[in-house]
Amino acid sequence: MSRSITGAVARWPGRGPLRTTVALATATATAAGLGIAYGGTALADGGPSPVVTRAAIDPSLVAGTGAHTGFVEQNAFNAATNGTVIGPSTDAYTLPSEATGRKAVQLTPGQYVEFTVPGPTNAITVRYSIPDAPNGGGITSPLDITVNGHNNKVMTLTSQYAWLYNEYPFTNDPNAGPLHPDWWTTECSCVPDQTTPPPVFPTPFRPTHYYDEQRLLLGRTYEAGDKIRLSVPAGAATTTIDVLDTQQVAPPQVDPFALNALFFGADPTGQRDSGDAVQAAVNFAEKTHLKLYFPPGTYQVNQHIIVDNVTIEGAGNWYTIFKGHQVTLPSPAPDGSIHTGVGFYGNYVSAGGSANVHLSNFAIEGDVRERIDTDQVNGIGGALSDSSIEGLYIQHTKVGIWLDGPMNNLTIKDNMIVDQIADGINFHTGVTNSVAEDNFIRNTGDDGMAMWSEITADANDTFDHNTVQSPELANGIAIYGGTDNTVSNNLIADPQREGSGIQVGSRFNAVPFAGSLWITGNDTVRAGTFELNWKIGLGAIWIYALQSTINADIEVTGDNFLDNTYNAMMLVSDFSVKDLYSISNVHFSNIHVDGTGTSVVSARAAGSASFQNVVARNVGAVGVNNCGSFHFTSAGSEFSLTDLGGNTGGGTTGPWLASWELPNTITCNDRPPVVVPPPPSPWS
């Protein structure tokens, strides 16, 4: 199902590599409509104001993009603490690099971090990391929660769903050597089983996926200015705090006119398995065309619930929770699964698919701790046409929502998908006329969101106003082939490694791009990571021709690429196919680039692109790093840039799109040094 990014990326032999945060002392912004200062002002009681962020920067710099989450984000590194701020760092396999904003606060027993409540709050979410067990499998550790020094509550933190190691598809064993000794391994610049003497790798090898999160209802509402303190008690493990999300959760929803699932024996205490009772209730609701309601409670479900022509609603995703164990099957299923677990699945296309399914206002909490790509242990699966998924919270499954088409007309809206082993949302194979909007996705083990047109094109689909933060591997949003799709008004931050904020890729056996692809009005923050195999930095947007030429109409317009670790825009083919596939008909317009560690544009392919009203500042290297397809002929690069006017700004090297660079001057610096840009700031 999900697929290898690390293993799929070929080597590049011999080749390598308008808005954002202002100083806290001077900047203010209105956050989430609460009138909260971003920094610098004080509360009436004389204490410092809460520093509210979105994707760890001033909310005004990403206004209008991303999901409407209902919560307010505060970074631990902006809060009062006697702990240690770690970072910033973009180095893979480190705690700071996987934190929101690349910094966090580390607490040892006796230490705390204290947040000032920015507005009415009765619920919190803590994103944290604690160590793994010496031999893997995770530990638990307490975290004390107090408000204004009183009302002590204890969270039991766990690392059972964190800490992966090694090469794709990873292992839970921190003591294991490379899983693929026949793969090229960048740490030794060798193929281990073809090397004498064999290389020795330190363990743990490539640790990753450090963070998890936990929610807590506080039992009452607290007001602006109250203090929430997170403290590590004596005897507890070292605890790293990333962010605290605060919100006012509405009371449970009650639907007295719907069919009540308790009538079928579903147990809201979670003490016994309710899987069969839940399925019986769903089947009855389908036959009678009645809406099915699950009251508040935790329902233990250790199997797939098959849904077709049915409406299921809970009391709210803080109150109605479907929680299950991962179960080993007695023999592998026809699809290759060796486990099952909690999830709501439409029928597969081979069984006719499902339609008219509407799921809303509940949580799905799985028990997936390892990545097995053949396993169907996703939160939502199957084929769901003319359907909707709204207001769910999905945690600890393999993929939050994985749809296998062909299927048509699905809306995925206002969901939270966190702490996944693989993708957040994937439209796989012939998903058409469907929309994913206003979803918040954090800490996925693969692409945050993807349209994967394997075999059959995804067409006329839209990803709009979603927030994707901290995908551990691969991209924030990835489009693999397809026809007439749109990626608009999304906020994407902090991809970890071997991926970008947005990728447009002909790979994974996707059908070629056709028609148009619109990438409009998106904000990326601290995007563009280090590609481990190529040993080069990637762009915030990465257009990649690996298995076919990309020549559909690609319109990248109105986007803002902020605080780019390397390049802002990258167009590349793999070295092994550089003379087979090219990239053309790409049009960049009305774009702000604020800060690049290297270039504004990196071209490592044959083809062309046009640029109009692309404004850049704080550029760390030559504006255009044009290597073409690495033949370096006297005719110039095989990649041409067309200047349509209005391309202004630059950095220490002068104008980013200078006339001498056009149309195809070779300016190839294979691995330019990185110049860390200053924080982004408002544009005049």
Side-chain angles (χ1 to χ4, degrees), residues 25-156:
T26 60
T28 60
T30 298
L34 298 173
I36 301 159
Y38 178 70
T41 61
L43 297 172
D45 65 2
S49 64
V51 180
V52 168
T53 57
R54 291 186 68 216
I57 65 171
D58 181 342
S60 72
L61 302 176
V62 291
T65 61
H68 300 89
T69 60
F71 64 78
V72 176
E73 172 192 281
Q74 292 178 270
N75 296 93
F77 60 76
N78 288 326
T81 184
N82 62 351
T84 301
V85 176
I86 57 173
S89 176
T90 59
D91 293 339
Y93 316 121
T94 65
L95 274 166
S97 73
E98 294 193 9
T100 306
R102 314 291 192 186
K103 293 192 292 183
V105 171
Q106 196 160 75
L107 306 175
T108 57
Q111 294 183 323
Y112 67 87
V113 58
E114 185 173 84
F115 300 85
T116 301
V117 174
T121 295
N122 65 4
I124 62 173
T125 300
V126 179
R127 187 169 191 250
Y128 67 88
S129 177
I130 60 174
D132 197 2
N135 294 313
I139 63 171
T140 59
S141 187
L143 181 69
D144 289 340
I145 315 291
T146 57
V147 185
N148 301 326
H150 304 290
N151 304 318
N152 184 69
K153 293 180 180 291
V154 179
M155 275 187 173
T156 300

Side-chain angles (χ1 to χ4, degrees), residues 247-310:
Q247 69 184 102
Q248 183 72 9
V249 175
Q253 299 174 16
V254 178
D255 190 342
F257 303 105
L259 180 67
N260 193 312
L262 300 186
F263 297 156
F264 295 83
D267 176 14
T269 72
Q271 295 182 10
R272 53 185 172 82
D273 189 337
S274 291
D276 290 343
V278 171
Q279 186 67 68
V282 169
N283 293 345
F284 187 85
E286 177 184 339
K287 291 177 182 178
T288 58
H289 306 292
L290 295 172
K291 181 189 297 183
L292 178 61
Y293 170 72
F294 283 85
T298 297
Y299 300 86
Q300 184 188 154
V301 175
N302 305 314
Q303 64 191 56
H304 295 169
I305 302 302
I306 306 302
V307 291
D308 188 11
N309 192 30
V310 68

Side-chain angles (χ1 to χ4, degrees), residues 181-447:
D182 57 335
W183 284 6
W184 173 267
T185 305
T186 189
E187 285 84 354
C188 66
S189 297
C190 72
V191 177
D193 67 2
Q194 298 177 19
T195 303
T196 303
V200 176
F201 299 97
T203 55
F205 182 51
R206 298 185 183 176
T208 187
H209 206 61
Y210 299 113
Y211 289 88
D212 203 352
E213 62 186 63
Q214 195 167 136
R215 306 194 297 175
L216 178 68
L217 288 168
L218 297 175
R220 53 157 289 190
T221 295
Y222 295 93
E223 303 299 335
D226 287 331
K227 309 289 186 181
I228 296 178
R229 177 173 289 200
L230 313 182
S231 304
V232 178
T238 297
T239 301
T240 301
I241 303 297
D242 178 23
V243 296
L244 179 78
D245 297 329
T246 56
Q247 69 184 102
Q248 183 72 9
V249 175
Q253 299 174 16
V254 178
D255 190 342
F257 303 105
L259 180 67
N260 193 312
L262 300 186
F263 297 156
F264 295 83
D267 176 14
T269 72
Q271 295 182 10
R272 53 185 172 82
D273 189 337
S274 291
D276 290 343
V278 171
Q279 186 67 68
V282 169
N283 293 345
F284 187 85
E286 177 184 339
K287 291 177 182 178
T288 58
H289 306 292
L290 295 172
K291 181 189 297 183
L292 178 61
Y293 170 72
F294 283 85
T298 297
Y299 300 86
Q300 184 188 154
V301 175
N302 305 314
Q303 64 191 56
H304 295 169
I305 302 302
I306 306 302
V307 291
D308 188 11
N309 192 30
V310 68
T311 297
I312 303 171
E313 66 177 13
N317 67 46
W318 284 80
Y319 303 111
T320 299
I321 301 168
F322 296 95
K323 188 176 182 68
H325 304 294
Q326 182 168 285
V327 177
T328 302
L329 297 172
S331 60
D335 62 14
S337 295
I338 61 175
H339 298 99
T340 189
V342 62
F344 287 76
Y345 273 65
N347 293 309
Y348 289 108
V349 169
S350 59
S354 289
N356 192 32
V357 173
H358 304 284
L359 309 175
S360 64
N361 299 321
F362 57 82
I364 301 171
E365 297 182 4
D367 189 33
V368 179
R369 310 180 189 197
E370 58 184 336
R371 177 157 176 170
I372 301 174
D373 281 347
T374 56
D375 265 358
Q376 280 287 350
V377 285
N378 306 317
I380 306 289
L384 297 169
S385 293
D386 302 316
S387 298
S388 64
I389 302 166
E390 186 169 354
L392 304 192
Y393 177 86
I394 306 176
Q395 185 184 33
H396 296 153
T397 57
K398 188 182 79 172
V399 176
I401 301 174
W402 180 286
L403 291 315
D404 286 301
M407 51 170 280
N408 183 63
N409 188 30
L410 172 70
T411 297
I412 303 173
K413 183 178 180 180
D414 295 332
N415 303 287
M416 293 189 65
I417 300 171
V418 299
D419 303 327
Q420 301 295 303
I421 288 289
D423 302 28
I425 296 173
N426 196 307
F427 286 6
H428 177 232
T429 301
V431 178
T432 58
N433 302 303
S434 295
V435 177
E437 61 182 348
D438 257 324
N439 301 288
F440 179 85
I441 299 168
R442 180 164 59 195
N443 193 34
T444 59
D446 212 305
D447 293 321

